[in-house]
Amino acid sequence: MAAASAYDLVEKGLFQDAARVIDQSPSPPQDLRVLRARLESHIGVPQRAKVEAQSLLGGRLDHRERTICWEVIGRVTLSAGMIADGLRAMRQAFGAATTIQDARLEARLTASFIESLLHCVGVEPATLEMPRLRKAALRAGDAYSLVELHSLD
């Protein structure tokens, strides 16, 4: 029940409420721990999110969970100014995402990547990636990715 509730809250943009639901769970399953690391990167202490994601990568994760962990590491690393390491982590995230061929996951990852490029690297690299986001968002038909496309464009 906590898993469905946390994911529903994230889809509604209620990240703090989702984090609270996960934190109240006595021993959250691995997918919720991965989600909690992602939430921590957005609403908590980014470095703590990175450490948690790295710890989770040491265990057995499916490709979706691996994608999310690498994305968290990439975003936090890019925001800390370590561009080469952040780009490497994002490349790992894209590698894991393409393995499962989930159009929605790839579109959201692309949106996250471009947003990180825009805020942490520069306008030019982000602009060069926009056609990739447009293609991924349209292929996925994902409202979140389409909104990101238009807000970044």
Side-chain angles (χ1 to χ4, degrees):
M1 181 66 183
S5 175
Y7 284 107
D8 290 341
L9 290 168
V10 168
E11 283 299 313
K12 293 176 183 174
L14 301 172
F15 289 3
Q16 289 183 337
D17 294 339
R20 196 173 8 266
V21 166
I22 296 169
D23 292 342
Q24 290 172 351
S25 178
S27 92
Q30 187 160 295
D31 66 318
L32 285 183
R33 291 181 55 219
V34 170
L35 177 61
R36 185 62 179 95
R38 176 185 261 173
L39 292 170
E40 187 71 25
S41 74
H42 289 287
I43 61 166
V45 179
Q47 197 58 37
R48 189 177 339 161
K50 180 180 175 183
V51 168
E52 180 64 18
Q54 288 169 327
S55 170
L56 287 163
L57 281 171
R60 294 183 57 95
L61 299 174
D62 64 25
H63 290 290
R64 175 181 306 283
E65 294 164 344
R66 190 166 293 283
T67 297
I68 294 167
C69 286
W70 279 115
E71 176 199 0
V72 168
I73 293 167
R75 286 177 58 92
V76 172
T77 305
L78 284 169
S79 70
M82 296 180 282
I83 306 303
D85 290 342
L87 293 175
R88 255 191 305 280
M90 292 304 275
R91 222 176 357 263
Q92 291 283 346
F94 279 108
T98 54
T99 302
I100 57 174
Q101 296 185 352
D102 180 340
R104 179 176 166 223
L105 179 65
E106 286 185 53
R108 289 186 179 198
L109 178 60
T110 303
S112 173
F113 176 57
I114 293 172
E115 184 180 10
S116 293
L117 286 177
L118 180 63
H119 294 294
C120 304
V121 180
V123 174
E124 294 83 8
T127 302
L128 291 172
E129 294 292 330
M130 288 302 291
R132 183 173 164 196
L133 175 56
R134 181 172 286 108
K135 181 180 175 182
L138 291 173
R139 185 176 65 238
D142 177 45
Y144 175 86
S145 303
L146 291 167
V147 168
E148 281 291 307
L149 169 66
H150 291 293
S151 69
L152 292 170
D153 202 13

